[in-house]
Amino acid sequence: MSRLLALLYGAVSYAVFLVTFLYAIPFVAGFGVPKHIDNGDPAPFLVALGIDLALLGLFAVQHSGMARPAFKRWWTRFVPAPIERSTFVLVSSAVLALLFWQWRPLPQPVWNVDAAALRGTLLALSALGWLLVLSSTFLINHFDLFGLRQVWFHARQRKAMDEPFVTRAFYRIVRHPLMLGFLIAFWATPTMTLGHLLFAAMTTGYILVAVKFLEERDLVALYGDTYRDYQRRVPMLLPWPKRQRTDAATSTATPQPTRH
Ligand SMILES: C[S@@+](CC[C@H](N)C(=O)[O-])C[C@H]1O[C@@H](n2cnc3c(N)ncnc32)[C@H](O)[C@@H]1O
């Protein structure tokens, strides 16, 4: 594949991601776009529940499956390495777009906050959650996460340096600020319907399982004791400070390896 074509493919994938991400904000909020979490084709309760669970399950399987190191090793035999990340981003965006399109509303109210000040506070909190998601991507390396950096270096015939392990800013407070941002954005709502509750609860369960049993295992395999030490010092998702241990194990300075 020509380098220019790969660059174009990466740019298109990034643009598709950006549109999908920006659509996700009003979709979850339940206003501001034609199709959101609380509207669309009504369906009998069990049908709507089944469709919504299938859409969430599809996203979980696709997203975590394609991010497994073994899967990446297998499919880069067919997909050129420089566009591997862009392809992941494109497929993830397509699955999310399908979810937005086919999501069936379950409009039964769970809670509804009337007080204007509290409504505003919850909406502001949700916006802060989205901001935390976006700013965390820039702390790791936004353009690497979404595949642009790989196609850019490929186009310039340069080898991209591995990304460094990040422990600064939000990553000093929790190990997964990006996921914490999602949780805040999904739960902080003045009007919680049954459909929104299903979405928030299932994505929370997925995030907890995926972070603890998939991502952190990969990170330990990659960074070894550096990551184990980070796990001891910094909480996973809730920003409560951990009790500092003073034994040699935790005070040993560890080298800062790089992310592949
Ligand atoms: C979608 S990001 C989510 C990062 C993290 N779970 C969070 O919630 O902030 C997933 C990528 O971030 C990388 N990653 C996670 N923690 C990292 C860290 N402290 N430094 C560098 N990369 C990290 C993982 O290797 C993976 O490629």
Side-chain angles (χ1 to χ4, degrees):
M1 180 185 260
S2 92
R3 292 172 193 277
L4 204 59
L5 208 56
L7 184 62
L8 193 66
Y9 178 76
V12 169
S13 301
Y14 181 79
V16 172
F17 145 74
L18 207 56
V19 171
T20 315
F21 177 79
L22 292 176
Y23 195 95
I25 301 171
F27 175 85
V28 174
F31 61 84
V33 279
K35 171 73 186 87
H36 56 69
I37 199 160
D38 292 326
N39 72 4
D41 288 346
F45 179 78
L46 284 181
V47 176
L49 187 66
I51 292 175
D52 293 349
L53 285 175
L55 290 166
L56 288 165
L58 178 68
F59 180 78
V61 169
Q62 173 272 322
H63 204 72
S64 289
M66 287 181 79
R68 299 296 76 241
F71 182 87
K72 286 187 196 174
R73 276 194 298 277
W74 172 73
W75 81 311
T76 42
R77 293 186 349 219
F78 320 105
V79 176
I83 61 161
E84 182 270 327
R85 189 72 190 177
S86 294
T87 308
F88 169 78
V89 168
L90 194 58
V91 178
S92 302
S93 303
V95 174
L96 260 188
L98 177 72
L99 184 147
F100 298 157
W101 175 40
Q102 285 301 319
W103 183 265
R104 298 297 194 272
L106 291 165
Q108 298 84 339
V110 177
W111 73 67
N112 189 37
V113 174
D114 283 326
L118 194 50
R119 283 189 80 83
T121 306
L122 285 167
L123 287 174
L125 199 59
S126 177
L128 277 180
W130 287 110
L131 214 58
L132 180 58
V133 170
L134 198 61
S135 45
S136 299
T137 66
F138 283 98
L139 286 174
I140 295 181
N141 185 336
H142 179 85
F143 298 107
D144 183 83
L145 267 185
F146 299 106
L148 265 188
R149 184 170 174 268
Q150 293 85 331
V151 289
W152 176 246
F153 273 74
H154 181 62
R156 302 187 67 198
Q157 305 196 31
R158 282 174 49 198
K159 186 174 164 13
M161 297 286 287
D162 292 332
E163 282 303 301
F165 177 53
V166 175
T167 56
R168 68 180 193 283
F170 302 135
Y171 284 87
R172 189 185 290 271
I173 302 166
V174 287
R175 302 200 295 275
H176 302 282
L178 198 152
M179 297 302 152
L180 176 61
F182 278 129
L183 297 184
I184 295 170
F186 294 168
W187 284 97
T189 176
T191 304
M192 181 64 93
T193 59
L194 201 57
H196 191 145
L197 183 67
L198 176 75
F199 181 88
M202 296 310 290
T203 47
T204 299
Y206 168 62
I207 285 172
L208 292 178
V209 170
V211 159
K212 191 157 179 59
F213 298 107
L214 299 175
E215 184 176 339
E216 291 221 325
R217 281 187 189 171
D218 292 345
L219 287 162
V220 165
L222 195 58
Y223 299 120
D225 283 344
T226 302
Y227 199 80
R228 287 192 198 93
D229 179 48
Y230 182 55
Q231 285 175 313
R232 276 192 289 271
R233 287 184 292 107
V234 177
M236 187 166 104
L237 277 167
L238 298 176
W240 314 138
K242 284 197 161 188
R243 222 157 32 91
Q244 288 294 313
R245 286 169 50 193
T246 52
D247 58 48
T250 52
S251 60
T252 308
T254 43
Q256 295 281 296
T258 55
R259 182 160 63 89
H260 298 275

